[in-house]
Structure formats: C-alpha cells, structure tokens
Amino acid sequence: IYMNILVWPQYSMRSYITNLWLLEKDANFKLMKYFTKIVKAAIPNANIYLVIPHRKTINYIPDFGLDSCTGSQRYPYHIAVKHAYNAGSQRYNFDYDEMATIVNKRKIDTILCPIEKASYFRQISDDIRIVSFIHYLDIYTNKCSSIFLRDLDGANKSDLVYFNTEKNRESFSNYLGLNNCEHHKVLDVFYSEAELSKYKTNNKFPRQTILYLTRLSDLARTKSDSFLRIADKLIQAYKDKYSIIVTDPNYSSTIKINSQITKIDLCGGPMYKFMAQSHIIPVMYDLRKWASVGIIEAAYLGAKPIFYNGFSEFYSDLLTGKANVELNVEKKSLEYNKERIIKELKEVKIC
C-alpha cells in the first residue's frame, strides 16, 4: 500500500528585483524539507508531491533531499500552482478548486501545509490527515484579523499542529483559554547536523566579523534599520577592528548602507563556510516569537548569537563578543528530533 503525501510549504522569499520566488533561500522551504525527510524515513513507500510556484516564477528548484531515502526514485514529484504576488497575500489568496483537483487527482492521504490552508483542505475530505504549521502568530499584530480567524479554524481542522516556538504555542493556547491541546506541538527541527557538520571549522576570519543574516526589508519585524545605525557607530569608533557583513537575500535594497559595510549574496555550502568563519551573529528580534533557521545554523557552526537588549547594552555586547542567550542548539537538529516527531505522527495515525 502506497501513501500519497502532499507537501505545500509557506513560501516567503521573493526577489524585489526579478519578482521570482527564491526557494533556495527560503527558510520555510528548508524547514519543510527536513520535516518531509523524517516523514519519508518513517514511511519509505510514500509518494511525495511537492507544491511549487509555476516554474516561470521561480529562480530554480533546490534539491529536496529525498534521493537517499529507501524506496525513493525521483522524489518528490512537483506540482506547479499559481502563487500570489507576495508572501503576505499568499497566506490567504489561493485557488480552492485547484487544491481540490490536486487532492482528488493524486488520491492524497496526508497533507503537510501552512495553518491557513488546513480548513480548506478539510472541506475537501474528512478522511485526509492534516499536519499544519504556524510560522507566524497573527495575534501579536491583530487579534481580530481575518487571517487569525483562519488560523483558529485551521488548528481546529488539523490532526496535528506544529508551532515554530514554545512561546507561540503558549500564546495561542492562552488566547483561546486552553490549558493543554494534545495535538498542538512545537517543532524544533531547524538544521541538519549531517549537512552542516562538514562546514565546521576553527579557522575564523582574521578580523572580528559580524554577520547580519536577516533581511534588510520587513523593518517592523527585522529592525534592520536599527542594526545599521549601531553598525555605523561601530565603524566610526573601531573602523579597523571589525568587518561588518550583511545579507540581502531578497534583493530589497530598501535601506542605504554604509560604504564600509560589505553585502554578500551566498547560499548553500558557500554561505555555511562564511557562517563558520564569522564571529558574531547579531539578532534584532525576539526568537521566542520568530524562528530563524539561519541563526540556529550559524550558532551550530560556531558563530556567537548576540540578541538586541537595548541600544547601549547591545552595542556593549557586540564589543565584548560574548553570546548573551543560550540557544540549546544541539536540541534543534533534525537528528535530535527525529524519533519524537515520528512518535507524534504515529499518535495521529499518519505512520
């Protein structure tokens, strides 16, 4: 008996210049890739169908990492669908008829999808097993928004719900007045030790290197403008001591940066090598509410995460180069979480 599994990631990385989806730089795509590898290992004979944007709207399709799984031949099968013009509208703007056609044509048994799509898939069939993921909790911005109401309904219609942080799971449950929802879990799969271990090194860059991994856009969340003001102060006071590097993964170029700051455009292996040789990873937002694959990867590779805790304190911490938060990185790998997740999937009869 073959199980047919539909994987529908929440795509969020799109180029400001070409308007193409950048799957190779998308943390949600990577997280779903790791989760699917666990599912495939638990169900070797499963057929995996990966939903992607239409090929003319994507840069290229990265390897989904399933080739080495037992029983794999040419997985995953790709299903191209029309995606909305940006990550925000994509959360609520999708074609229900197209979803139903995919599920019925492929005889889908299990669906891995963002929470906003779960209730729509449940309308198609009561027999489908639905595992949904919450990447962003809307109650932090607008408790009455239509998207949050869709989150609530999606959680109710899912067999299993994964929150990206414990804080978000607690906030969601507290808002609903619930003490304990057995099917609400926390997903701590952020990196693959098997993939990253080969990039670990003690050979750091000669100059103290501060690598800012967050987008330069989406300032309400990333606070990139605040970091760049701090970087300007560092450059002015210690021009020859620090190398400050920023990434602009979606090519937003929305902020003017100091000419002494270097912008890099790397992904995959070259990016991991750069992370491993860097010293400091500044983090401007609350990781209790926002999960970051890149920051966890960099911490595993030996860069020290320093979290914003006020302008003066943050500036001082950057100067000392001492990590000010313990991330428990060893507990956030695919390998560490594999058995737990398989157990949770078995509890809702997915494998």
Side-chain angles (χ1 to χ4, degrees), residues 312-339:
S312 298
E313 293 84 355
F314 185 67
Y315 183 78
S316 176
D317 288 340
L318 288 177
L319 291 178
T320 62
K322 294 181 66 175
N324 57 4
V325 171
E326 177 55 55
L327 291 180
N328 296 317
V329 172
E330 69 281 355
K331 295 183 178 180
K332 295 182 181 296
S333 70
L334 180 153
E335 292 81 3
Y336 184 90
N337 287 274
K338 181 177 178 179
E339 290 186 10

PDB file of all heavy atoms in Angstrom, residues 312-339:
ATOM      1  N   SER A 312      22.364  50.555  24.082  1.00  0.00           N
ATOM      2  CA  SER A 312      23.660  50.602  24.769  1.00  0.00           C
ATOM      3  C   SER A 312      24.149  49.213  25.140  1.00  0.00           C
ATOM      4  O   SER A 312      25.328  48.872  24.947  1.00  0.00           O
ATOM      5  CB  SER A 312      23.561  51.470  26.032  1.00  0.00           C
ATOM      6  OG  SER A 312      23.223  52.797  25.694  1.00  0.00           O
ATOM      7  N   GLU A 313      23.235  48.377  25.654  1.00  0.00           N
ATOM      8  CA  GLU A 313      23.615  47.026  26.055  1.00  0.00           C
ATOM      9  C   GLU A 313      24.042  46.190  24.852  1.00  0.00           C
ATOM     10  O   GLU A 313      25.022  45.446  24.902  1.00  0.00           O
ATOM     11  CB  GLU A 313      22.447  46.350  26.778  1.00  0.00           C
ATOM     12  CG  GLU A 313      22.084  46.961  28.126  1.00  0.00           C
ATOM     13  CD  GLU A 313      21.146  48.155  27.980  1.00  0.00           C
ATOM     14  OE1 GLU A 313      20.864  48.552  26.819  1.00  0.00           O
ATOM     15  OE2 GLU A 313      20.697  48.671  29.002  1.00  0.00           O
ATOM     16  N   PHE A 314      23.303  46.321  23.777  1.00  0.00           N
ATOM     17  CA  PHE A 314      23.610  45.561  22.561  1.00  0.00           C
ATOM     18  C   PHE A 314      24.962  45.983  21.991  1.00  0.00           C
ATOM     19  O   PHE A 314      25.786  45.134  21.606  1.00  0.00           O
ATOM     20  CB  PHE A 314      22.498  45.783  21.533  1.00  0.00           C
ATOM     21  CG  PHE A 314      22.627  44.961  20.284  1.00  0.00           C
ATOM     22  CD1 PHE A 314      22.491  43.585  20.319  1.00  0.00           C
ATOM     23  CD2 PHE A 314      22.866  45.567  19.050  1.00  0.00           C
ATOM     24  CE1 PHE A 314      22.592  42.816  19.159  1.00  0.00           C
ATOM     25  CE2 PHE A 314      22.967  44.813  17.888  1.00  0.00           C
ATOM     26  CZ  PHE A 314      22.829  43.434  17.947  1.00  0.00           C
ATOM     27  N   TYR A 315      25.188  47.274  21.958  1.00  0.00           N
ATOM     28  CA  TYR A 315      26.460  47.801  21.467  1.00  0.00           C
ATOM     29  C   TYR A 315      27.614  47.267  22.308  1.00  0.00           C
ATOM     30  O   TYR A 315      28.648  46.820  21.778  1.00  0.00           O
ATOM     31  CB  TYR A 315      26.430  49.324  21.510  1.00  0.00           C
ATOM     32  CG  TYR A 315      27.662  49.995  20.957  1.00  0.00           C
ATOM     33  CD1 TYR A 315      27.861  50.122  19.589  1.00  0.00           C
ATOM     34  CD2 TYR A 315      28.631  50.520  21.813  1.00  0.00           C
ATOM     35  CE1 TYR A 315      28.987  50.748  19.079  1.00  0.00           C
ATOM     36  CE2 TYR A 315      29.769  51.140  21.317  1.00  0.00           C
ATOM     37  CZ  TYR A 315      29.942  51.260  19.953  1.00  0.00           C
ATOM     38  OH  TYR A 315      31.068  51.868  19.446  1.00  0.00           O
ATOM     39  N   SER A 316      27.432  47.252  23.618  1.00  0.00           N
ATOM     40  CA  SER A 316      28.463  46.743  24.523  1.00  0.00           C
ATOM     41  C   SER A 316      28.710  45.257  24.301  1.00  0.00           C
ATOM     42  O   SER A 316      29.865  44.798  24.287  1.00  0.00           O
ATOM     43  CB  SER A 316      28.055  47.001  25.978  1.00  0.00           C
ATOM     44  OG  SER A 316      28.988  46.447  26.875  1.00  0.00           O
ATOM     45  N   ASP A 317      27.632  44.493  24.109  1.00  0.00           N
ATOM     46  CA  ASP A 317      27.767  43.049  23.886  1.00  0.00           C
ATOM     47  C   ASP A 317      28.493  42.758  22.575  1.00  0.00           C
ATOM     48  O   ASP A 317      29.276  41.803  22.481  1.00  0.00           O
ATOM     49  CB  ASP A 317      26.386  42.377  23.878  1.00  0.00           C
ATOM     50  CG  ASP A 317      25.764  42.317  25.264  1.00  0.00           C
ATOM     51  OD1 ASP A 317      26.512  42.428  26.251  1.00  0.00           O
ATOM     52  OD2 ASP A 317      24.532  42.155  25.351  1.00  0.00           O
ATOM     53  N   LEU A 318      28.250  43.568  21.556  1.00  0.00           N
ATOM     54  CA  LEU A 318      28.956  43.387  20.290  1.00  0.00           C
ATOM     55  C   LEU A 318      30.456  43.615  20.475  1.00  0.00           C
ATOM     56  O   LEU A 318      31.286  42.926  19.881  1.00  0.00           O
ATOM     57  CB  LEU A 318      28.408  44.347  19.229  1.00  0.00           C
ATOM     58  CG  LEU A 318      27.011  44.044  18.668  1.00  0.00           C
ATOM     59  CD1 LEU A 318      26.593  45.133  17.689  1.00  0.00           C
ATOM     60  CD2 LEU A 318      26.959  42.692  17.979  1.00  0.00           C
ATOM     61  N   LEU A 319      30.809  44.581  21.322  1.00  0.00           N
ATOM     62  CA  LEU A 319      32.216  44.871  21.570  1.00  0.00           C
ATOM     63  C   LEU A 319      32.905  43.731  22.309  1.00  0.00           C
ATOM     64  O   LEU A 319      34.040  43.367  21.995  1.00  0.00           O
ATOM     65  CB  LEU A 319      32.354  46.173  22.371  1.00  0.00           C
ATOM     66  CG  LEU A 319      31.989  47.471  21.637  1.00  0.00           C
ATOM     67  CD1 LEU A 319      32.125  48.655  22.582  1.00  0.00           C
ATOM     68  CD2 LEU A 319      32.868  47.672  20.416  1.00  0.00           C
ATOM     69  N   THR A 320      32.226  43.144  23.280  1.00  0.00           N
ATOM     70  CA  THR A 320      32.836  42.047  24.044  1.00  0.00           C
ATOM     71  C   THR A 320      32.804  40.734  23.272  1.00  0.00           C
ATOM     72  O   THR A 320      33.641  39.857  23.479  1.00  0.00           O
ATOM     73  CB  THR A 320      32.120  41.849  25.385  1.00  0.00           C
ATOM     74  OG1 THR A 320      30.739  41.497  25.146  1.00  0.00           O
ATOM     75  CG2 THR A 320      32.179  43.113  26.227  1.00  0.00           C
ATOM     76  N   GLY A 321      31.803  40.595  22.355  1.00  0.00           N
ATOM     77  CA  GLY A 321      31.704  39.383  21.541  1.00  0.00           C
ATOM     78  C   GLY A 321      31.240  38.166  22.299  1.00  0.00           C
ATOM     79  O   GLY A 321      31.456  37.027  21.867  1.00  0.00           O
ATOM     80  N   LYS A 322      30.559  38.369  23.419  1.00  0.00           N
ATOM     81  CA  LYS A 322      30.084  37.245  24.219  1.00  0.00           C
ATOM     82  C   LYS A 322      28.605  36.999  23.945  1.00  0.00           C
ATOM     83  O   LYS A 322      27.788  37.932  24.013  1.00  0.00           O
ATOM     84  CB  LYS A 322      30.295  37.516  25.713  1.00  0.00           C
ATOM     85  CG  LYS A 322      31.767  37.589  26.118  1.00  0.00           C
ATOM     86  CD  LYS A 322      31.918  37.847  27.610  1.00  0.00           C
ATOM     87  CE  LYS A 322      31.389  36.666  28.412  1.00  0.00           C
ATOM     88  NZ  LYS A 322      31.649  36.862  29.876  1.00  0.00           N
ATOM     89  N   ALA A 323      28.258  35.753  23.641  1.00  0.00           N
ATOM     90  CA  ALA A 323      26.846  35.402  23.410  1.00  0.00           C
ATOM     91  C   ALA A 323      26.045  35.708  24.668  1.00  0.00           C
ATOM     92  O   ALA A 323      26.481  35.417  25.791  1.00  0.00           O
ATOM     93  CB  ALA A 323      26.729  33.927  23.049  1.00  0.00           C
ATOM     94  N   ASN A 324      24.876  36.319  24.501  1.00  0.00           N
ATOM     95  CA  ASN A 324      24.076  36.705  25.668  1.00  0.00           C
ATOM     96  C   ASN A 324      22.790  35.892  25.812  1.00  0.00           C
ATOM     97  O   ASN A 324      21.960  36.196  26.658  1.00  0.00           O
ATOM     98  CB  ASN A 324      23.750  38.202  25.627  1.00  0.00           C
ATOM     99  CG  ASN A 324      23.017  38.622  24.353  1.00  0.00           C
ATOM    100  OD1 ASN A 324      22.670  37.778  23.520  1.00  0.00           O
ATOM    101  ND2 ASN A 324      22.782  39.909  24.191  1.00  0.00           N
ATOM    102  N   VAL A 325      22.626  34.850  24.993  1.00  0.00           N
ATOM    103  CA  VAL A 325      21.469  33.962  25.094  1.00  0.00           C
ATOM    104  C   VAL A 325      21.923  32.534  24.806  1.00  0.00           C
ATOM    105  O   VAL A 325      22.708  32.302  23.876  1.00  0.00           O
ATOM    106  CB  VAL A 325      20.343  34.363  24.107  1.00  0.00           C
ATOM    107  CG1 VAL A 325      19.245  33.308  24.078  1.00  0.00           C
ATOM    108  CG2 VAL A 325      19.750  35.707  24.480  1.00  0.00           C
ATOM    109  N   GLU A 326      21.435  31.580  25.597  1.00  0.00           N
ATOM    110  CA  GLU A 326      21.727  30.172  25.352  1.00  0.00           C
ATOM    111  C   GLU A 326      20.643  29.577  24.463  1.00  0.00           C
ATOM    112  O   GLU A 326      19.472  29.575  24.815  1.00  0.00           O
ATOM    113  CB  GLU A 326      21.793  29.405  26.682  1.00  0.00           C
ATOM    114  CG  GLU A 326      22.027  27.917  26.527  1.00  0.00           C
ATOM    115  CD  GLU A 326      23.271  27.593  25.725  1.00  0.00           C
ATOM    116  OE1 GLU A 326      24.351  28.078  26.099  1.00  0.00           O
ATOM    117  OE2 GLU A 326      23.144  26.865  24.717  1.00  0.00           O
ATOM    118  N   LEU A 327      21.019  29.073  23.294  1.00  0.00           N
ATOM    119  CA  LEU A 327      20.042  28.595  22.310  1.00  0.00           C
ATOM    120  C   LEU A 327      19.790  27.089  22.375  1.00  0.00           C
ATOM    121  O   LEU A 327      18.872  26.597  21.728  1.00  0.00           O
ATOM    122  CB  LEU A 327      20.504  28.956  20.901  1.00  0.00           C
ATOM    123  CG  LEU A 327      20.496  30.445  20.535  1.00  0.00           C
ATOM    124  CD1 LEU A 327      20.981  30.637  19.110  1.00  0.00           C
ATOM    125  CD2 LEU A 327      19.105  31.032  20.712  1.00  0.00           C
ATOM    126  N   ASN A 328      20.601  26.343  23.135  1.00  0.00           N
ATOM    127  CA  ASN A 328      20.451  24.874  23.158  1.00  0.00           C
ATOM    128  C   ASN A 328      20.419  24.310  21.740  1.00  0.00           C
ATOM    129  O   ASN A 328      19.520  23.547  21.367  1.00  0.00           O
ATOM    130  CB  ASN A 328      19.179  24.477  23.914  1.00  0.00           C
ATOM    131  CG  ASN A 328      19.227  24.857  25.376  1.00  0.00           C
ATOM    132  OD1 ASN A 328      20.253  24.662  26.041  1.00  0.00           O
ATOM    133  ND2 ASN A 328      18.140  25.410  25.889  1.00  0.00           N
ATOM    134  N   VAL A 329      21.411  24.692  20.968  1.00  0.00           N
ATOM    135  CA  VAL A 329      21.453  24.348  19.539  1.00  0.00           C
ATOM    136  C   VAL A 329      21.414  22.849  19.308  1.00  0.00           C
ATOM    137  O   VAL A 329      20.791  22.362  18.357  1.00  0.00           O
ATOM    138  CB  VAL A 329      22.715  24.961  18.890  1.00  0.00           C
ATOM    139  CG1 VAL A 329      22.878  24.462  17.466  1.00  0.00           C
ATOM    140  CG2 VAL A 329      22.613  26.472  18.897  1.00  0.00           C
ATOM    141  N   GLU A 330      22.046  22.086  20.197  1.00  0.00           N
ATOM    142  CA  GLU A 330      22.112  20.635  19.989  1.00  0.00           C
ATOM    143  C   GLU A 330      20.733  19.994  19.995  1.00  0.00           C
ATOM    144  O   GLU A 330      20.546  18.893  19.473  1.00  0.00           O
ATOM    145  CB  GLU A 330      23.002  19.981  21.055  1.00  0.00           C
ATOM    146  CG  GLU A 330      22.436  19.988  22.461  1.00  0.00           C
ATOM    147  CD  GLU A 330      22.598  21.320  23.179  1.00  0.00           C
ATOM    148  OE1 GLU A 330      23.232  22.225  22.615  1.00  0.00           O
ATOM    149  OE2 GLU A 330      22.096  21.455  24.318  1.00  0.00           O
ATOM    150  N   LYS A 331      19.732  20.673  20.564  1.00  0.00           N
ATOM    151  CA  LYS A 331      18.375  20.127  20.621  1.00  0.00           C
ATOM    152  C   LYS A 331      17.500  20.598  19.460  1.00  0.00           C
ATOM    153  O   LYS A 331      16.304  20.327  19.439  1.00  0.00           O
ATOM    154  CB  LYS A 331      17.717  20.490  21.945  1.00  0.00           C
ATOM    155  CG  LYS A 331      18.397  19.860  23.154  1.00  0.00           C
ATOM    156  CD  LYS A 331      17.659  20.197  24.440  1.00  0.00           C
ATOM    157  CE  LYS A 331      18.326  19.530  25.645  1.00  0.00           C
ATOM    158  NZ  LYS A 331      17.615  19.845  26.916  1.00  0.00           N
ATOM    159  N   LYS A 332      18.077  21.311  18.517  1.00  0.00           N
ATOM    160  CA  LYS A 332      17.297  21.874  17.415  1.00  0.00           C
ATOM    161  C   LYS A 332      17.694  21.271  16.066  1.00  0.00           C
ATOM    162  O   LYS A 332      17.562  21.912  15.034  1.00  0.00           O
ATOM    163  CB  LYS A 332      17.451  23.394  17.393  1.00  0.00           C
ATOM    164  CG  LYS A 332      16.878  24.077  18.625  1.00  0.00           C
ATOM    165  CD  LYS A 332      16.997  25.576  18.545  1.00  0.00           C
ATOM    166  CE  LYS A 332      16.459  26.255  19.786  1.00  0.00           C
ATOM    167  NZ  LYS A 332      15.016  26.056  19.983  1.00  0.00           N
ATOM    168  N   SER A 333      18.177  20.062  16.081  1.00  0.00           N
ATOM    169  CA  SER A 333      18.567  19.422  14.833  1.00  0.00           C
ATOM    170  C   SER A 333      17.534  18.390  14.397  1.00  0.00           C
ATOM    171  O   SER A 333      16.744  17.894  15.211  1.00  0.00           O
ATOM    172  CB  SER A 333      19.928  18.733  14.994  1.00  0.00           C
ATOM    173  OG  SER A 333      19.809  17.601  15.840  1.00  0.00           O
ATOM    174  N   LEU A 334      17.576  18.078  13.111  1.00  0.00           N
ATOM    175  CA  LEU A 334      16.721  17.018  12.572  1.00  0.00           C
ATOM    176  C   LEU A 334      16.999  15.704  13.293  1.00  0.00           C
ATOM    177  O   LEU A 334      16.072  14.984  13.676  1.00  0.00           O
ATOM    178  CB  LEU A 334      16.995  16.882  11.079  1.00  0.00           C
ATOM    179  CG  LEU A 334      16.236  15.839  10.256  1.00  0.00           C
ATOM    180  CD1 LEU A 334      16.152  16.304   8.809  1.00  0.00           C
ATOM    181  CD2 LEU A 334      16.910  14.479  10.291  1.00  0.00           C
ATOM    182  N   GLU A 335      18.271  15.410  13.509  1.00  0.00           N
ATOM    183  CA  GLU A 335      18.654  14.132  14.099  1.00  0.00           C
ATOM    184  C   GLU A 335      18.146  14.002  15.530  1.00  0.00           C
ATOM    185  O   GLU A 335      17.665  12.938  15.942  1.00  0.00           O
ATOM    186  CB  GLU A 335      20.184  13.994  14.070  1.00  0.00           C
ATOM    187  CG  GLU A 335      20.770  13.848  12.670  1.00  0.00           C
ATOM    188  CD  GLU A 335      20.920  15.174  11.927  1.00  0.00           C
ATOM    189  OE1 GLU A 335      20.616  16.231  12.514  1.00  0.00           O
ATOM    190  OE2 GLU A 335      21.325  15.144  10.757  1.00  0.00           O
ATOM    191  N   TYR A 336      18.210  15.094  16.311  1.00  0.00           N
ATOM    192  CA  TYR A 336      17.772  15.062  17.709  1.00  0.00           C
ATOM    193  C   TYR A 336      16.258  14.859  17.810  1.00  0.00           C
ATOM    194  O   TYR A 336      15.764  14.192  18.713  1.00  0.00           O
ATOM    195  CB  TYR A 336      18.173  16.364  18.403  1.00  0.00           C
ATOM    196  CG  TYR A 336      17.849  16.410  19.883  1.00  0.00           C
ATOM    197  CD1 TYR A 336      18.774  15.967  20.824  1.00  0.00           C
ATOM    198  CD2 TYR A 336      16.619  16.896  20.333  1.00  0.00           C
ATOM    199  CE1 TYR A 336      18.483  16.001  22.176  1.00  0.00           C
ATOM    200  CE2 TYR A 336      16.318  16.928  21.690  1.00  0.00           C
ATOM    201  CZ  TYR A 336      17.257  16.480  22.607  1.00  0.00           C
ATOM    202  OH  TYR A 336      16.953  16.507  23.954  1.00  0.00           O
ATOM    203  N   ASN A 337      15.516  15.437  16.879  1.00  0.00           N
ATOM    204  CA  ASN A 337      14.055  15.455  16.966  1.00  0.00           C
ATOM    205  C   ASN A 337      13.360  14.336  16.198  1.00  0.00           C
ATOM    206  O   ASN A 337      12.139  14.184  16.301  1.00  0.00           O
ATOM    207  CB  ASN A 337      13.533  16.799  16.447  1.00  0.00           C
ATOM    208  CG  ASN A 337      13.813  17.925  17.411  1.00  0.00           C
ATOM    209  OD1 ASN A 337      13.048  18.172  18.326  1.00  0.00           O
ATOM    210  ND2 ASN A 337      14.927  18.613  17.215  1.00  0.00           N
ATOM    211  N   LYS A 338      14.103  13.563  15.451  1.00  0.00           N
ATOM    212  CA  LYS A 338      13.502  12.597  14.538  1.00  0.00           C
ATOM    213  C   LYS A 338      12.571  11.618  15.251  1.00  0.00           C
ATOM    214  O   LYS A 338      11.403  11.442  14.850  1.00  0.00           O
ATOM    215  CB  LYS A 338      14.603  11.833  13.804  1.00  0.00           C
ATOM    216  CG  LYS A 338      14.099  10.810  12.799  1.00  0.00           C
ATOM    217  CD  LYS A 338      15.258  10.157  12.061  1.00  0.00           C
ATOM    218  CE  LYS A 338      14.772   9.097  11.092  1.00  0.00           C
ATOM    219  NZ  LYS A 338      15.900   8.477  10.341  1.00  0.00           N
ATOM    220  N   GLU A 339      13.034  10.952  16.287  1.00  0.00           N
ATOM    221  CA  GLU A 339      12.220   9.949  16.971  1.00  0.00           C
ATOM    222  C   GLU A 339      10.981  10.564  17.600  1.00  0.00           C
ATOM    223  O   GLU A 339       9.897   9.967  17.564  1.00  0.00           O
ATOM    224  CB  GLU A 339      13.060   9.226  18.024  1.00  0.00           C
ATOM    225  CG  GLU A 339      14.121   8.310  17.452  1.00  0.00           C
ATOM    226  CD  GLU A 339      14.835   7.514  18.530  1.00  0.00           C
ATOM    227  OE1 GLU A 339      14.384   7.535  19.696  1.00  0.00           O
ATOM    228  OE2 GLU A 339      15.852   6.872  18.204  1.00  0.00           O
TER     229      GLU A 339
END
